[in-house]
């Protein structure tokens, strides 16, 4: 391992530069937006497969989504109201030839080619569970035992940063649970225990802690306090870029009936269902592994390698 891998006070920017130097990530000129190498992709895929193996007995319904969702579904979620600073929208040109020529002639002060862009009927997905809720709602009342979905997609959050663990576009793997309050609390507790064991198997020093979402503005402070006081959100934390400031690699959330009210999700008794999700940022877990075990994957501890790449 190199000196920079073991440096206890390695800065976020130094860590990022080493990832570039090693050819694991590729710089694009925009903070938080990176290309991925074959090695990095194989590591992300191994983490994704590990999550799948550990949760296979849950018999969750598999759903995979592109990095966009319907604008109507996004608006119903209330995400823009609560976290507008993270939102990424999609805009498109809808004009004719004449309008096209006019826009090409626009100066930067006039808005350039973006001057004629109009909002599309899709937006960038903020979390992989968000496209799930309208689909489940459209099916009608839940079965008496509730429902469980395994979802995954690329997600976008507008958080440019030199910290490689804070990417603007990243992948999430989540399970989304629907049912009674008791079912959701049991689901949340089960995944917290399972996640700690999963990180132990990967040789990562992990801990869980109470957390809150980055709600916007003064009203958001009250929402964050309420989320913490009701113990609705927990995160699993590991050292990545800075060992003195742990990074969240996963979260375990109890939404109460927020999404049920937003989308009309009902339980078997016709009452609003409760929901929860347990999700992991796949790139963050991959970065945590590189930070902990070094950039030479072939030199990793045998137990870690066997956990990620078990032999048939």
């Amino acid at each position: 391992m190199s000196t920079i891998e073991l440096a206890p006070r390695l800065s976020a920017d130094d860590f990022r530069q080493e990832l570039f130097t090693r050819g694991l990530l590729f710089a694009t000129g925009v903070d938080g937006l990176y290309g991925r190498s074959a090695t990095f992709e194989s590591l992300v895929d191994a983490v994704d497969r590990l999550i799948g193996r550990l949760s296979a007995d849950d018999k969750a319904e598999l759903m995979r989504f592109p990095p966009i969702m319907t604008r109507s579904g996004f608006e119903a979620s209330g995400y823009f109201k609560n976290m507008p600073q993270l939102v990424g929208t999609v805009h498109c040109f809808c004009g004719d030839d004449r309008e096209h020529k006019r826009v090409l002639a626009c100066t930067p002060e006039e808005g350039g080619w973006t001057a004629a862009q109009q909002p599309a009927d899709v937006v960038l997905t903020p979390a992989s569970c968000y496209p799930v809720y309208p689909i489940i709602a459209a099916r009608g009342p839940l079965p008496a035992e509730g429902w469980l979905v395994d979802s995954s997609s690329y997600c976008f959050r507008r958080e440019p940063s030199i910290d490689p663990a804070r990417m603007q576009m990243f992948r999430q793997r989540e399970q989304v649970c629907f049912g009674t309050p008791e079912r959701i609390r049991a689901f949340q507790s089960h995944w917290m225990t399972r996640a700690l064991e999963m990180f132990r198997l990967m040789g990562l020093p992990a801990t869980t802690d109470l957390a809150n979402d980055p709600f916007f503005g003064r009203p958001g402070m009250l929402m964050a306090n309420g989320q913490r006081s009701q113990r609705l959100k927990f995160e699993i934390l590991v050292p990545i870029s800075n060992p003195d400031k742990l990074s969240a690699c996963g979260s375990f959330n109890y939404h109460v009936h927020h999404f049920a009210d937003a989308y009309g999700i009902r339980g078997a008794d016709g009452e609003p269902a409760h929901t929860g999700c347990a999700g992991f940022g796949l790139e963050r877990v991959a970065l945590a592994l590189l930070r902990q075990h070094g950039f030479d994957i072939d030199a990793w501890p045998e137990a870690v390698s066997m956990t990620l790449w078990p032999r048939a």
Side-chain angles (χ1 to χ4, degrees):
M1 297 184 186
S2 70
T3 302
I4 196 169
E5 293 171 30
L6 299 175
R9 297 294 179 265
L10 182 66
S11 72
D13 193 37
D14 285 343
F15 182 47
R16 182 175 69 161
Q17 289 302 320
E18 186 73 357
L19 291 164
F20 293 159
T21 300
R22 300 282 183 140
L24 291 162
L25 296 180
F26 306 119
T28 66
V30 174
D31 291 337
L33 180 65
Y34 310 114
R36 281 86 158 158
S37 70
T39 300
F40 191 83
E41 283 297 284
S42 70
L43 183 51
V44 170
D45 182 64
V47 173
D48 188 37
R49 289 178 180 273
L50 174 60
I51 296 170
R53 289 195 299 274
L54 293 177
S55 60
D57 290 341
D58 297 346
K59 307 300 182 184
E61 179 182 5
L62 194 73
M63 293 187 185
R64 296 293 180 263
F65 298 98
I68 55 176
M69 62 178 294
T70 66
R71 194 172 84 185
S72 60
F74 172 81
E75 290 171 347
S77 74
Y79 193 90
F80 182 79
K81 178 181 178 181
N82 296 324
M83 288 169 278
Q85 76 278 18
L86 304 180
V87 174
T89 58
V90 178
H91 287 66
C92 302
F93 176 74
C94 302
D96 54 18
D97 287 347
R98 182 176 179 180
E99 180 68 3
H100 182 224
K101 292 177 181 178
R102 184 192 71 79
V103 173
L104 288 177
C106 284
T107 65
E109 292 75 20
E110 294 171 322
W113 66 269
T114 64
Q117 297 284 300
Q118 299 179 20
D121 58 355
V122 294
V123 299
L124 298 178
T125 304
S128 69
C129 63
Y130 273 57
V132 174
Y133 303 114
I135 292 174
I136 297 299
R139 295 177 176 177
L142 297 170
E145 67 275 15
W147 200 247
L148 189 64
V149 172
D150 181 326
S151 71
S152 182
S153 75
Y154 261 102
C155 303
F156 175 86
R157 293 178 192 172
R158 176 65 174 164
E159 294 182 288
S161 172
I162 62 171
D163 183 352
R166 195 167 291 281
M167 297 183 179
Q168 294 197 63
M169 185 70 79
F170 55 92
R171 280 160 287 192
Q172 276 188 346
R173 175 79 179 263
E174 294 191 71
Q175 277 202 356
V176 194
C177 188
F178 301 79
T180 63
E182 295 76 19
R183 174 178 169 84
I184 307 305
R185 285 296 191 188
F187 166 84
Q188 185 184 45
S189 177
H190 175 65
W191 261 108
M192 289 171 63
T193 301
R194 173 186 278 170
L196 285 172
E197 174 62 11
M198 181 179 77
F199 278 68
R200 186 193 67 78
L201 292 171
M202 291 188 290
L204 294 175
T207 185
T208 58
D209 198 8
L210 195 61
N212 60 265
D213 288 311
F215 297 115
F216 188 77
R218 290 180 61 85
M221 295 177 61
L222 296 175
M223 295 179 66
N225 289 337
Q227 198 175 43
R228 294 180 72 89
S229 66
Q230 297 178 66
R231 302 174 68 82
L232 300 181
K233 183 182 184 71
F234 291 84
E235 291 178 334
I236 189 161
L237 306 166
V238 296
I240 303 180
S241 300
N242 181 353
D244 292 331
K245 186 178 181 181
L246 302 181
S247 298
C249 284
S251 64
F252 317 96
N253 308 281
Y254 178 22
H255 316 127
V256 194
H257 48 75
H258 170 79
F259 289 112
D261 292 340
Y263 297 105
I265 304 170
R266 295 292 180 265
D269 59 1
E271 294 297 314
H274 286 228
T275 66
C277 65
F280 300 91
L282 300 183
E283 282 86 355
R284 280 198 179 182
V285 179
L287 290 170
L289 286 161
L290 291 165
R291 183 67 178 88
Q292 179 69 20
H293 301 304
F295 295 100
D296 183 2
I297 294 177
D298 292 335
W300 284 8
E302 179 68 16
V304 174
S305 296
M306 287 298 296
T307 294
L308 291 168
W309 295 282
R311 299 191 181 98

